[in-house]
Amino acid sequence: MKISDLKAFKQSGEKITCLTAYDASFAKMFDQCSVDVILVGDSLGNVIQGGENTLGVTMEDMIYHTQSVSKSIQDALLIADMPYQSYDSAEQTLENAQRLIDAGAQMVKFEGGREHEASFEILQANGVPVCGHLGLQPQSVIEMGGYKVQGRDDESAKRIIDDALALESWGVQTLVLECVPAELAKKVSQAISIPTIGIGAGVDCDGQVLVSYDMLGINTGHMPKFVKNFLKGNSDIQGAVNAFIDAVKNQSFPGDEHSY
Ligand code: KIV
């Protein structure tokens, strides 16, 4: 998938599939199964490093894993997360985003809305493709009081919609929506022309992402409601990945039991 395909998918109604990967072997398999987007997520702080949250992940960690993943993929679009405190100022954002692009990412993702205006604008001015991330922001888990569904009341729902519109105006090319009510995710998806990729955000997003370890049932920690173990009923990892892709494309995932 190319960056320009993102909008085309949204326009045609074809759902975008995305899985996280942190190493060459998983990334190669996901790519060969034709996952559209591979995300080197800072969720590696949980599933690879065993941390309680993602706050301990460094730029060096992200560069190492992005390099590993980028070596083995041919077709999938590669997005890399900017870790905690790596985009506190505009100049720092540009420098660190460039390091991830040099490591092989085609797009960088970071969490937050209008409070990061300067960071979005400097990346737009320098032609660095960006994926936004609104709703639950794991890097702000302490400020948010835990891993909670966001946008349940009118005021916070409006903030998410207004943030999404602002991000689009700053050239953001796709937007992850994490843990928001399905109805709100639908409204956001209809309000902007760039695709939304949901995780715990209902079936009306323009695509779906899961942490690969979660969808393979190998996360031994807390399993959020939105996770489905696709290895159940499939005999190998390729079967599970193909089942995830089919379920996203035919919109049977996420059903109501996996949505808020
Ligand atoms: O870090 C990550 O894996 C993510 C996804 C949960 C979207 O940001």
Side-chain angles (χ1 to χ4, degrees), residues 224-256:
K225 177 185 177 188
F226 58 78
V227 171
K228 179 172 174 185
N229 177 354
F230 282 90
L231 199 54
K232 276 195 185 147
N234 286 291
S235 55
D236 57 21
I237 295 175
Q238 282 98 332
V241 172
N242 288 331
F244 167 74
I245 293 173
D246 289 349
V248 172
K249 296 277 182 194
N250 69 28
Q251 300 177 42
S252 59
F253 178 80
D256 289 345

PDB file of all heavy atoms in Angstrom, residues 224-256:
ATOM      1  N   PRO A 224      -8.271  -6.198  26.840  1.00  0.00           N
ATOM      2  CA  PRO A 224      -9.416  -5.298  26.713  1.00  0.00           C
ATOM      3  C   PRO A 224     -10.560  -5.940  25.921  1.00  0.00           C
ATOM      4  O   PRO A 224     -10.346  -6.882  25.152  1.00  0.00           O
ATOM      5  CB  PRO A 224      -8.848  -4.101  25.932  1.00  0.00           C
ATOM      6  CG  PRO A 224      -7.396  -4.314  25.819  1.00  0.00           C
ATOM      7  CD  PRO A 224      -7.083  -5.742  26.125  1.00  0.00           C
ATOM      8  N   LYS A 225     -11.761  -5.381  26.118  1.00  0.00           N
ATOM      9  CA  LYS A 225     -12.968  -5.915  25.470  1.00  0.00           C
ATOM     10  C   LYS A 225     -12.835  -5.983  23.951  1.00  0.00           C
ATOM     11  O   LYS A 225     -13.382  -6.855  23.289  1.00  0.00           O
ATOM     12  CB  LYS A 225     -14.136  -5.000  25.865  1.00  0.00           C
ATOM     13  CG  LYS A 225     -15.456  -5.355  25.241  1.00  0.00           C
ATOM     14  CD  LYS A 225     -16.539  -4.341  25.575  1.00  0.00           C
ATOM     15  CE  LYS A 225     -17.832  -4.735  24.850  1.00  0.00           C
ATOM     16  NZ  LYS A 225     -18.883  -3.770  24.921  1.00  0.00           N
ATOM     17  N   PHE A 226     -12.093  -5.011  23.371  1.00  0.00           N
ATOM     18  CA  PHE A 226     -12.066  -4.920  21.906  1.00  0.00           C
ATOM     19  C   PHE A 226     -11.174  -5.973  21.243  1.00  0.00           C
ATOM     20  O   PHE A 226     -11.163  -6.107  20.023  1.00  0.00           O
ATOM     21  CB  PHE A 226     -11.635  -3.515  21.455  1.00  0.00           C
ATOM     22  CG  PHE A 226     -10.285  -3.058  21.965  1.00  0.00           C
ATOM     23  CD1 PHE A 226      -9.107  -3.523  21.391  1.00  0.00           C
ATOM     24  CD2 PHE A 226     -10.194  -2.150  23.003  1.00  0.00           C
ATOM     25  CE1 PHE A 226      -7.870  -3.095  21.848  1.00  0.00           C
ATOM     26  CE2 PHE A 226      -8.970  -1.702  23.472  1.00  0.00           C
ATOM     27  CZ  PHE A 226      -7.799  -2.182  22.901  1.00  0.00           C
ATOM     28  N   VAL A 227     -10.417  -6.713  22.042  1.00  0.00           N
ATOM     29  CA  VAL A 227      -9.481  -7.686  21.453  1.00  0.00           C
ATOM     30  C   VAL A 227     -10.201  -8.985  21.103  1.00  0.00           C
ATOM     31  O   VAL A 227     -11.042  -9.458  21.851  1.00  0.00           O
ATOM     32  CB  VAL A 227      -8.336  -7.997  22.447  1.00  0.00           C
ATOM     33  CG1 VAL A 227      -7.496  -9.165  21.943  1.00  0.00           C
ATOM     34  CG2 VAL A 227      -7.452  -6.774  22.640  1.00  0.00           C
ATOM     35  N   LYS A 228      -9.852  -9.534  19.954  1.00  0.00           N
ATOM     36  CA  LYS A 228     -10.333 -10.870  19.596  1.00  0.00           C
ATOM     37  C   LYS A 228      -9.119 -11.749  19.291  1.00  0.00           C
ATOM     38  O   LYS A 228      -8.204 -11.310  18.572  1.00  0.00           O
ATOM     39  CB  LYS A 228     -11.261 -10.784  18.374  1.00  0.00           C
ATOM     40  CG  LYS A 228     -11.773 -12.140  17.945  1.00  0.00           C
ATOM     41  CD  LYS A 228     -12.837 -12.065  16.876  1.00  0.00           C
ATOM     42  CE  LYS A 228     -13.155 -13.489  16.423  1.00  0.00           C
ATOM     43  NZ  LYS A 228     -14.083 -13.529  15.315  1.00  0.00           N
ATOM     44  N   ASN A 229      -9.136 -12.959  19.831  1.00  0.00           N
ATOM     45  CA  ASN A 229      -8.058 -13.912  19.564  1.00  0.00           C
ATOM     46  C   ASN A 229      -8.386 -14.654  18.261  1.00  0.00           C
ATOM     47  O   ASN A 229      -9.211 -15.561  18.242  1.00  0.00           O
ATOM     48  CB  ASN A 229      -7.934 -14.869  20.739  1.00  0.00           C
ATOM     49  CG  ASN A 229      -6.874 -15.936  20.501  1.00  0.00           C
ATOM     50  OD1 ASN A 229      -6.308 -16.021  19.406  1.00  0.00           O
ATOM     51  ND2 ASN A 229      -6.617 -16.748  21.512  1.00  0.00           N
ATOM     52  N   PHE A 230      -7.726 -14.256  17.168  1.00  0.00           N
ATOM     53  CA  PHE A 230      -8.007 -14.859  15.860  1.00  0.00           C
ATOM     54  C   PHE A 230      -7.304 -16.208  15.672  1.00  0.00           C
ATOM     55  O   PHE A 230      -7.520 -16.866  14.667  1.00  0.00           O
ATOM     56  CB  PHE A 230      -7.636 -13.884  14.732  1.00  0.00           C
ATOM     57  CG  PHE A 230      -8.660 -12.790  14.526  1.00  0.00           C
ATOM     58  CD1 PHE A 230      -8.561 -11.590  15.213  1.00  0.00           C
ATOM     59  CD2 PHE A 230      -9.734 -12.960  13.672  1.00  0.00           C
ATOM     60  CE1 PHE A 230      -9.506 -10.587  15.033  1.00  0.00           C
ATOM     61  CE2 PHE A 230     -10.694 -11.971  13.486  1.00  0.00           C
ATOM     62  CZ  PHE A 230     -10.578 -10.780  14.171  1.00  0.00           C
ATOM     63  N   LEU A 231      -6.451 -16.582  16.625  1.00  0.00           N
ATOM     64  CA  LEU A 231      -5.820 -17.908  16.509  1.00  0.00           C
ATOM     65  C   LEU A 231      -6.836 -19.011  16.857  1.00  0.00           C
ATOM     66  O   LEU A 231      -6.707 -20.141  16.377  1.00  0.00           O
ATOM     67  CB  LEU A 231      -4.580 -17.984  17.404  1.00  0.00           C
ATOM     68  CG  LEU A 231      -3.555 -19.071  17.093  1.00  0.00           C
ATOM     69  CD1 LEU A 231      -3.079 -19.039  15.644  1.00  0.00           C
ATOM     70  CD2 LEU A 231      -2.354 -18.947  18.017  1.00  0.00           C
ATOM     71  N   LYS A 232      -7.827 -18.647  17.671  1.00  0.00           N
ATOM     72  CA  LYS A 232      -8.874 -19.633  18.003  1.00  0.00           C
ATOM     73  C   LYS A 232      -9.610 -20.021  16.727  1.00  0.00           C
ATOM     74  O   LYS A 232     -10.096 -19.153  16.008  1.00  0.00           O
ATOM     75  CB  LYS A 232      -9.874 -19.030  18.994  1.00  0.00           C
ATOM     76  CG  LYS A 232      -9.418 -19.126  20.415  1.00  0.00           C
ATOM     77  CD  LYS A 232     -10.569 -18.851  21.375  1.00  0.00           C
ATOM     78  CE  LYS A 232     -10.017 -18.829  22.798  1.00  0.00           C
ATOM     79  NZ  LYS A 232     -10.732 -17.903  23.656  1.00  0.00           N
ATOM     80  N   GLY A 233      -9.653 -21.316  16.448  1.00  0.00           N
ATOM     81  CA  GLY A 233     -10.341 -21.780  15.241  1.00  0.00           C
ATOM     82  C   GLY A 233      -9.432 -21.812  14.020  1.00  0.00           C
ATOM     83  O   GLY A 233      -9.848 -22.191  12.931  1.00  0.00           O
ATOM     84  N   ASN A 234      -8.176 -21.362  14.205  1.00  0.00           N
ATOM     85  CA  ASN A 234      -7.191 -21.444  13.101  1.00  0.00           C
ATOM     86  C   ASN A 234      -5.975 -22.209  13.593  1.00  0.00           C
ATOM     87  O   ASN A 234      -5.595 -22.093  14.757  1.00  0.00           O
ATOM     88  CB  ASN A 234      -6.804 -20.034  12.639  1.00  0.00           C
ATOM     89  CG  ASN A 234      -7.923 -19.391  11.844  1.00  0.00           C
ATOM     90  OD1 ASN A 234      -8.227 -19.797  10.735  1.00  0.00           O
ATOM     91  ND2 ASN A 234      -8.570 -18.398  12.445  1.00  0.00           N
ATOM     92  N   SER A 235      -5.343 -22.964  12.699  1.00  0.00           N
ATOM     93  CA  SER A 235      -4.287 -23.860  13.178  1.00  0.00           C
ATOM     94  C   SER A 235      -2.910 -23.218  13.154  1.00  0.00           C
ATOM     95  O   SER A 235      -1.967 -23.767  13.713  1.00  0.00           O
ATOM     96  CB  SER A 235      -4.284 -25.143  12.343  1.00  0.00           C
ATOM     97  OG  SER A 235      -4.167 -24.785  10.986  1.00  0.00           O
ATOM     98  N   ASP A 236      -2.774 -22.066  12.480  1.00  0.00           N
ATOM     99  CA  ASP A 236      -1.455 -21.427  12.480  1.00  0.00           C
ATOM    100  C   ASP A 236      -1.592 -19.903  12.389  1.00  0.00           C
ATOM    101  O   ASP A 236      -2.702 -19.374  12.223  1.00  0.00           O
ATOM    102  CB  ASP A 236      -0.565 -21.980  11.354  1.00  0.00           C
ATOM    103  CG  ASP A 236      -1.188 -21.817   9.979  1.00  0.00           C
ATOM    104  OD1 ASP A 236      -2.079 -20.951   9.828  1.00  0.00           O
ATOM    105  OD2 ASP A 236      -0.791 -22.533   9.050  1.00  0.00           O
ATOM    106  N   ILE A 237      -0.448 -19.235  12.492  1.00  0.00           N
ATOM    107  CA  ILE A 237      -0.472 -17.761  12.554  1.00  0.00           C
ATOM    108  C   ILE A 237      -0.981 -17.170  11.235  1.00  0.00           C
ATOM    109  O   ILE A 237      -1.776 -16.224  11.247  1.00  0.00           O
ATOM    110  CB  ILE A 237       0.929 -17.226  12.924  1.00  0.00           C
ATOM    111  CG1 ILE A 237       1.281 -17.677  14.348  1.00  0.00           C
ATOM    112  CG2 ILE A 237       0.980 -15.703  12.835  1.00  0.00           C
ATOM    113  CD1 ILE A 237       2.671 -17.323  14.799  1.00  0.00           C
ATOM    114  N   GLN A 238      -0.558 -17.756  10.114  1.00  0.00           N
ATOM    115  CA  GLN A 238      -1.056 -17.235   8.828  1.00  0.00           C
ATOM    116  C   GLN A 238      -2.572 -17.307   8.767  1.00  0.00           C
ATOM    117  O   GLN A 238      -3.235 -16.373   8.299  1.00  0.00           O
ATOM    118  CB  GLN A 238      -0.499 -18.045   7.637  1.00  0.00           C
ATOM    119  CG  GLN A 238       0.922 -17.701   7.264  1.00  0.00           C
ATOM    120  CD  GLN A 238       1.906 -18.693   7.882  1.00  0.00           C
ATOM    121  OE1 GLN A 238       1.639 -19.265   8.931  1.00  0.00           O
ATOM    122  NE2 GLN A 238       3.040 -18.868   7.240  1.00  0.00           N
ATOM    123  N   GLY A 239      -3.133 -18.420   9.264  1.00  0.00           N
ATOM    124  CA  GLY A 239      -4.593 -18.592   9.262  1.00  0.00           C
ATOM    125  C   GLY A 239      -5.258 -17.513  10.105  1.00  0.00           C
ATOM    126  O   GLY A 239      -6.299 -16.959   9.727  1.00  0.00           O
ATOM    127  N   ALA A 240      -4.651 -17.209  11.250  1.00  0.00           N
ATOM    128  CA  ALA A 240      -5.214 -16.181  12.138  1.00  0.00           C
ATOM    129  C   ALA A 240      -5.161 -14.807  11.473  1.00  0.00           C
ATOM    130  O   ALA A 240      -6.121 -14.034  11.519  1.00  0.00           O
ATOM    131  CB  ALA A 240      -4.443 -16.168  13.452  1.00  0.00           C
ATOM    132  N   VAL A 241      -4.032 -14.514  10.830  1.00  0.00           N
ATOM    133  CA  VAL A 241      -3.882 -13.194  10.180  1.00  0.00           C
ATOM    134  C   VAL A 241      -4.878 -13.081   9.020  1.00  0.00           C
ATOM    135  O   VAL A 241      -5.545 -12.053   8.853  1.00  0.00           O
ATOM    136  CB  VAL A 241      -2.427 -12.984   9.701  1.00  0.00           C
ATOM    137  CG1 VAL A 241      -2.301 -11.720   8.868  1.00  0.00           C
ATOM    138  CG2 VAL A 241      -1.490 -12.933  10.901  1.00  0.00           C
ATOM    139  N   ASN A 242      -5.007 -14.156   8.241  1.00  0.00           N
ATOM    140  CA  ASN A 242      -5.975 -14.124   7.130  1.00  0.00           C
ATOM    141  C   ASN A 242      -7.406 -13.965   7.649  1.00  0.00           C
ATOM    142  O   ASN A 242      -8.215 -13.253   7.042  1.00  0.00           O
ATOM    143  CB  ASN A 242      -5.860 -15.395   6.277  1.00  0.00           C
ATOM    144  CG  ASN A 242      -4.577 -15.374   5.446  1.00  0.00           C
ATOM    145  OD1 ASN A 242      -4.086 -14.306   5.074  1.00  0.00           O
ATOM    146  ND2 ASN A 242      -4.016 -16.544   5.179  1.00  0.00           N
ATOM    147  N   ALA A 243      -7.701 -14.598   8.791  1.00  0.00           N
ATOM    148  CA  ALA A 243      -9.047 -14.473   9.373  1.00  0.00           C
ATOM    149  C   ALA A 243      -9.284 -13.033   9.828  1.00  0.00           C
ATOM    150  O   ALA A 243     -10.388 -12.491   9.653  1.00  0.00           O
ATOM    151  CB  ALA A 243      -9.207 -15.438  10.544  1.00  0.00           C
ATOM    152  N   PHE A 244      -8.248 -12.404  10.405  1.00  0.00           N
ATOM    153  CA  PHE A 244      -8.376 -10.992  10.811  1.00  0.00           C
ATOM    154  C   PHE A 244      -8.636 -10.118   9.586  1.00  0.00           C
ATOM    155  O   PHE A 244      -9.557  -9.287   9.571  1.00  0.00           O
ATOM    156  CB  PHE A 244      -7.096 -10.552  11.541  1.00  0.00           C
ATOM    157  CG  PHE A 244      -6.974  -9.054  11.722  1.00  0.00           C
ATOM    158  CD1 PHE A 244      -7.743  -8.379  12.659  1.00  0.00           C
ATOM    159  CD2 PHE A 244      -6.088  -8.305  10.937  1.00  0.00           C
ATOM    160  CE1 PHE A 244      -7.640  -6.993  12.818  1.00  0.00           C
ATOM    161  CE2 PHE A 244      -5.968  -6.929  11.084  1.00  0.00           C
ATOM    162  CZ  PHE A 244      -6.759  -6.265  12.029  1.00  0.00           C
ATOM    163  N   ILE A 245      -7.850 -10.340   8.534  1.00  0.00           N
ATOM    164  CA  ILE A 245      -8.009  -9.519   7.319  1.00  0.00           C
ATOM    165  C   ILE A 245      -9.425  -9.700   6.749  1.00  0.00           C
ATOM    166  O   ILE A 245     -10.118  -8.720   6.456  1.00  0.00           O
ATOM    167  CB  ILE A 245      -6.936  -9.903   6.267  1.00  0.00           C
ATOM    168  CG1 ILE A 245      -5.549  -9.501   6.761  1.00  0.00           C
ATOM    169  CG2 ILE A 245      -7.239  -9.228   4.913  1.00  0.00           C
ATOM    170  CD1 ILE A 245      -4.402  -9.989   5.888  1.00  0.00           C
ATOM    171  N   ASP A 246      -9.866 -10.953   6.635  1.00  0.00           N
ATOM    172  CA  ASP A 246     -11.209 -11.211   6.082  1.00  0.00           C
ATOM    173  C   ASP A 246     -12.281 -10.542   6.934  1.00  0.00           C
ATOM    174  O   ASP A 246     -13.217  -9.928   6.408  1.00  0.00           O
ATOM    175  CB  ASP A 246     -11.506 -12.725   6.045  1.00  0.00           C
ATOM    176  CG  ASP A 246     -10.679 -13.419   4.973  1.00  0.00           C
ATOM    177  OD1 ASP A 246     -10.065 -12.713   4.141  1.00  0.00           O
ATOM    178  OD2 ASP A 246     -10.633 -14.668   4.986  1.00  0.00           O
ATOM    179  N   ALA A 247     -12.131 -10.662   8.262  1.00  0.00           N
ATOM    180  CA  ALA A 247     -13.172 -10.124   9.162  1.00  0.00           C
ATOM    181  C   ALA A 247     -13.234  -8.600   9.096  1.00  0.00           C
ATOM    182  O   ALA A 247     -14.310  -8.013   9.180  1.00  0.00           O
ATOM    183  CB  ALA A 247     -12.905 -10.589  10.587  1.00  0.00           C
ATOM    184  N   VAL A 248     -12.069  -7.965   8.912  1.00  0.00           N
ATOM    185  CA  VAL A 248     -12.076  -6.495   8.794  1.00  0.00           C
ATOM    186  C   VAL A 248     -12.661  -6.102   7.437  1.00  0.00           C
ATOM    187  O   VAL A 248     -13.516  -5.215   7.342  1.00  0.00           O
ATOM    188  CB  VAL A 248     -10.653  -5.920   8.972  1.00  0.00           C
ATOM    189  CG1 VAL A 248     -10.629  -4.423   8.663  1.00  0.00           C
ATOM    190  CG2 VAL A 248     -10.152  -6.171  10.392  1.00  0.00           C
ATOM    191  N   LYS A 249     -12.222  -6.791   6.389  1.00  0.00           N
ATOM    192  CA  LYS A 249     -12.679  -6.416   5.036  1.00  0.00           C
ATOM    193  C   LYS A 249     -14.189  -6.630   4.890  1.00  0.00           C
ATOM    194  O   LYS A 249     -14.870  -5.837   4.248  1.00  0.00           O
ATOM    195  CB  LYS A 249     -11.934  -7.218   3.964  1.00  0.00           C
ATOM    196  CG  LYS A 249     -10.405  -6.950   3.911  1.00  0.00           C
ATOM    197  CD  LYS A 249     -10.027  -5.723   3.128  1.00  0.00           C
ATOM    198  CE  LYS A 249      -8.505  -5.534   3.073  1.00  0.00           C
ATOM    199  NZ  LYS A 249      -8.078  -4.220   2.609  1.00  0.00           N
ATOM    200  N   ASN A 250     -14.713  -7.749   5.489  1.00  0.00           N
ATOM    201  CA  ASN A 250     -16.158  -7.974   5.328  1.00  0.00           C
ATOM    202  C   ASN A 250     -16.976  -7.373   6.482  1.00  0.00           C
ATOM    203  O   ASN A 250     -18.179  -7.594   6.587  1.00  0.00           O
ATOM    204  CB  ASN A 250     -16.482  -9.468   5.122  1.00  0.00           C
ATOM    205  CG  ASN A 250     -16.230 -10.297   6.379  1.00  0.00           C
ATOM    206  OD1 ASN A 250     -16.319  -9.818   7.497  1.00  0.00           O
ATOM    207  ND2 ASN A 250     -15.912 -11.579   6.190  1.00  0.00           N
ATOM    208  N   GLN A 251     -16.287  -6.636   7.333  1.00  0.00           N
ATOM    209  CA  GLN A 251     -16.915  -5.852   8.412  1.00  0.00           C
ATOM    210  C   GLN A 251     -17.623  -6.706   9.464  1.00  0.00           C
ATOM    211  O   GLN A 251     -18.517  -6.231  10.154  1.00  0.00           O
ATOM    212  CB  GLN A 251     -17.860  -4.790   7.838  1.00  0.00           C
ATOM    213  CG  GLN A 251     -17.106  -3.826   6.928  1.00  0.00           C
ATOM    214  CD  GLN A 251     -17.994  -2.793   6.271  1.00  0.00           C
ATOM    215  OE1 GLN A 251     -18.883  -2.234   6.892  1.00  0.00           O
ATOM    216  NE2 GLN A 251     -17.743  -2.531   4.990  1.00  0.00           N
ATOM    217  N   SER A 252     -17.179  -7.953   9.606  1.00  0.00           N
ATOM    218  CA  SER A 252     -17.733  -8.754  10.709  1.00  0.00           C
ATOM    219  C   SER A 252     -16.947  -8.519  11.999  1.00  0.00           C
ATOM    220  O   SER A 252     -17.363  -8.914  13.081  1.00  0.00           O
ATOM    221  CB  SER A 252     -17.765 -10.244  10.346  1.00  0.00           C
ATOM    222  OG  SER A 252     -16.469 -10.696  10.046  1.00  0.00           O
ATOM    223  N   PHE A 253     -15.781  -7.870  11.886  1.00  0.00           N
ATOM    224  CA  PHE A 253     -15.013  -7.459  13.060  1.00  0.00           C
ATOM    225  C   PHE A 253     -14.738  -5.971  12.950  1.00  0.00           C
ATOM    226  O   PHE A 253     -14.331  -5.506  11.884  1.00  0.00           O
ATOM    227  CB  PHE A 253     -13.674  -8.224  13.160  1.00  0.00           C
ATOM    228  CG  PHE A 253     -12.848  -7.763  14.339  1.00  0.00           C
ATOM    229  CD1 PHE A 253     -13.125  -8.213  15.617  1.00  0.00           C
ATOM    230  CD2 PHE A 253     -11.826  -6.826  14.158  1.00  0.00           C
ATOM    231  CE1 PHE A 253     -12.387  -7.752  16.705  1.00  0.00           C
ATOM    232  CE2 PHE A 253     -11.092  -6.372  15.249  1.00  0.00           C
ATOM    233  CZ  PHE A 253     -11.374  -6.828  16.509  1.00  0.00           C
ATOM    234  N   PRO A 254     -14.945  -5.182  14.052  1.00  0.00           N
ATOM    235  CA  PRO A 254     -15.434  -5.627  15.348  1.00  0.00           C
ATOM    236  C   PRO A 254     -16.952  -5.601  15.417  1.00  0.00           C
ATOM    237  O   PRO A 254     -17.580  -4.647  15.007  1.00  0.00           O
ATOM    238  CB  PRO A 254     -14.854  -4.564  16.294  1.00  0.00           C
ATOM    239  CG  PRO A 254     -14.762  -3.319  15.450  1.00  0.00           C
ATOM    240  CD  PRO A 254     -14.510  -3.770  14.040  1.00  0.00           C
ATOM    241  N   GLY A 255     -17.510  -6.681  15.958  1.00  0.00           N
ATOM    242  CA  GLY A 255     -18.950  -6.689  16.226  1.00  0.00           C
ATOM    243  C   GLY A 255     -19.236  -5.937  17.510  1.00  0.00           C
ATOM    244  O   GLY A 255     -18.328  -5.410  18.160  1.00  0.00           O
ATOM    245  N   ASP A 256     -20.519  -5.931  17.904  1.00  0.00           N
ATOM    246  CA  ASP A 256     -20.911  -5.195  19.124  1.00  0.00           C
ATOM    247  C   ASP A 256     -20.181  -5.715  20.366  1.00  0.00           C
ATOM    248  O   ASP A 256     -19.874  -4.936  21.264  1.00  0.00           O
ATOM    249  CB  ASP A 256     -22.434  -5.339  19.357  1.00  0.00           C
ATOM    250  CG  ASP A 256     -23.207  -4.535  18.313  1.00  0.00           C
ATOM    251  OD1 ASP A 256     -22.599  -3.690  17.629  1.00  0.00           O
ATOM    252  OD2 ASP A 256     -24.421  -4.792  18.183  1.00  0.00           O
TER     253      ASP A 256
END
